[in-house]
Amino acid sequence: MKMKWRDGLFSAAGLLVFCAFCAAGATMASDVLVGACIYKFDDTFMKGVRRNMVSEMKKLGGELEVADSQNQQPVQDGQVGAFINKGAKALIVNLVNPVDRAVAASLLEKARAANLPIVFLNREPDAEVMKSYDKACYVGTHAEESGRLLGELIVDYFKGHPEADRNGDGKIQYVMLRGGEGQQDAILRTEFSVKAMKDGGFEVEELASETANWDKAQGAERMKGFIASVGLDRIEAVVANNDSMALGAIAALKAEGYNLGDAAKYIPVVGVDATAPALEAMGQGTLLGTVLNDARSQGAAAVRAAFAAAQGRAIDKETVGYEVTDGKYIWIPYMKVTTENFKRLM
Ligand code: BGC
Ligand code: CA
């Protein structure tokens, strides 16, 4: 497109403002290095978040280095130290261990000592720890919301399919696959999914509940265990705290001839995240539904917050693109994913 003189004038003015900004001590985009740690690369959901972090930083023109903490907190502690030594201007941390509050506190102290902003992502640190540093912020979700939507998926199904109450006792006999022990997302998704089933007007009976650490292989193992201990014919629903574990459970069900297309041999399974393999499973009819855990928004918001703070700018709606609560919390909403809308996410 041809440039009009007016555009030229605007960009000249823009350049002037930009130079004044730089002279005032602000950091140029290309000088911003953000160091990020992901609790482990081998996590399907976090892979999506990471991909979006990288593409967001490309748009912003800064530099992003992402380290794999390999599910080991000491490894992560070392990576944060290394980023600081390297001259990173902001940190993003997806904690390996969000349960022990001392862990987040010690990383925050490292950031404070270097006067660096620190953005915690996806695994929420203790509120008191968050409060203790004005350059700490958190990007994540309200886990109770995903729990509620998870439970509603089961409620909606049972309302539309009376035969899903296989023993006809009016109760939902379910098994639960929980995420990492003691983690907010796992605790609240478990609690609120059960509450939603009850709020939906159903009595519930928990046949079994185990942690499978957000992991597909462990989900399959635990499901095999449930089948052996409580019996396949008694299970009326499988509620998993995330999609990876739900897909593990589906693999175990398939091995028993279930969820392969025969309506008489179908057990509804639900998860959270709306990962690509989960959406595929919905297309195949093996997964009943999921909850969109918005990897794109979480990745983008974390990078934008870190980038703005690295340049000494405020973390607010203007710089991050999302509402900021109490000056430090960026909450990304969830969405129910059903047969009606899942194709839009693929
Ligand atoms: C996701 C899980 C993921 C976990 C990592 C959760 O929000 O639902 O799939 O494993 O975050 O912390
Ligand atoms: Ca029943």
Side-chain angles (χ1 to χ4, degrees):
M1 207 214 290
K2 228 177 103 196
M3 207 168 92
K4 295 204 190 85
W5 68 271
R6 242 170 14 125
D7 294 339
L9 202 65
F10 276 133
S11 44
L15 199 65
L16 264 173
V17 171
F18 184 68
C19 289
F21 186 64
C22 297
T27 316
M28 282 193 16
S30 56
D31 285 341
V32 172
L33 168 66
V34 173
C37 299
I38 300 296
Y39 93 96
K40 67 171 186 180
F41 278 8
D42 184 22
D43 176 302
T44 309
F45 173 71
M46 289 312 301
K47 228 174 253 173
V49 174
R50 178 157 53 97
R51 202 179 321 115
N52 287 294
M53 290 167 69
V54 171
S55 70
E56 184 63 26
M57 190 55 111
K58 237 180 226 141
K59 285 185 217 155
L60 294 173
E63 200 189 328
L64 177 71
E65 243 185 70
V66 193
D68 179 0
S69 302
Q70 295 162 33
N71 212 14
Q72 296 169 51
Q73 193 56 55
V75 170
Q76 182 162 76
D77 299 346
Q79 289 165 338
V80 167
F83 280 137
I84 294 173
N85 291 338
K86 243 185 128 158
K89 301 236 163 39
L91 303 162
I92 298 176
V93 178
N94 169 224
L95 288 164
V96 173
N97 180 351
V99 177
D100 179 356
R101 59 177 285 173
V103 169
S106 97
L107 293 181
L108 183 142
E109 283 317 318
K110 281 186 187 171
R112 192 206 303 274
N115 193 29
L116 290 182
I118 181 164
V119 178
F120 291 99
L121 168 64
N122 167 267
R123 294 176 156 201
E124 188 182 346
D126 185 271
E128 288 304 313
V129 174
M130 287 300 294
K131 244 194 246 166
S132 71
Y133 185 37
D134 62 348
K135 288 188 171 145
C137 84
Y138 177 68
V139 174
T141 55
H142 285 303
E144 56 269 40
E145 189 189 344
S146 53
R148 179 173 56 78
L149 298 173
L150 188 59
E152 282 178 14
L153 288 166
I154 294 293
V155 167
D156 295 345
Y157 185 77
F158 270 70
K159 286 196 169 150
H161 297 81
E163 75 283 5
D165 179 11
R166 296 166 78 198
N167 64 355
D169 69 349
K171 291 186 195 170
I172 302 174
Q173 272 80 16
Y174 69 89
V175 295
M176 177 76 68
L177 287 169
R178 306 193 313 269
E181 204 66 270
Q183 292 176 22
Q184 285 288 86
D185 278 5
I187 295 170
L188 295 172
R189 285 178 190 170
T190 299
E191 184 186 331
F192 281 82
S193 57
V194 174
K195 183 173 183 302
M197 289 191 278
K198 292 182 186 160
D199 290 348
F202 288 93
E203 274 187 64
V204 296
E205 183 184 346
E206 182 172 274
L207 299 175
S209 169
E210 294 245 21
T211 177
N213 293 307
W214 306 116
D215 182 73
K216 183 177 175 185
Q218 290 184 43
E221 277 312 305
R222 297 297 101 77
M223 189 66 202
K224 253 196 232 164
F226 295 160
I227 292 171
S229 60
V230 307
L232 194 50
D233 48 339
R234 288 184 64 213
I235 302 172
E236 296 178 342
V238 180
V239 182
N241 285 173
N242 81 344
D243 286 342
S244 293
M245 298 187 293
L247 294 179
I250 286 169
L253 286 173
K254 280 179 167 172
E256 300 288 332
Y258 271 65
N259 292 34
L260 289 170
D262 176 355
K265 287 187 165 184
Y266 174 79
I267 296 175
V269 180
V270 291
V272 176
D273 285 340
T275 59
L279 296 173
E280 222 166 272
M282 284 188 69
Q284 290 158 357
T286 56
L287 178 71
L288 171 65
T290 182
V291 177
L292 173 67
N293 192 5
D294 188 345
R296 174 132 66 84
S297 299
Q298 287 176 59
V303 165
R304 285 184 204 154
F307 186 74
Q311 291 182 308
R313 289 184 290 139
I315 294 178
D316 55 23
K317 175 121 198 230
E318 199 186 312
T319 53
V320 181
Y322 300 90
E323 218 60 69
V324 181
T325 312
D326 299 332
K328 58 176 69 216
Y329 285 97
I330 298 154
W331 299 114
I332 306 296
Y334 283 105
M335 191 182 83
K336 206 191 281 183
V337 182
T338 63
T339 33
E340 270 88 67
N341 66 357
F342 80 99
K343 286 209 173 98
R344 273 191 272 140
L345 299 172
M346 294 179 98

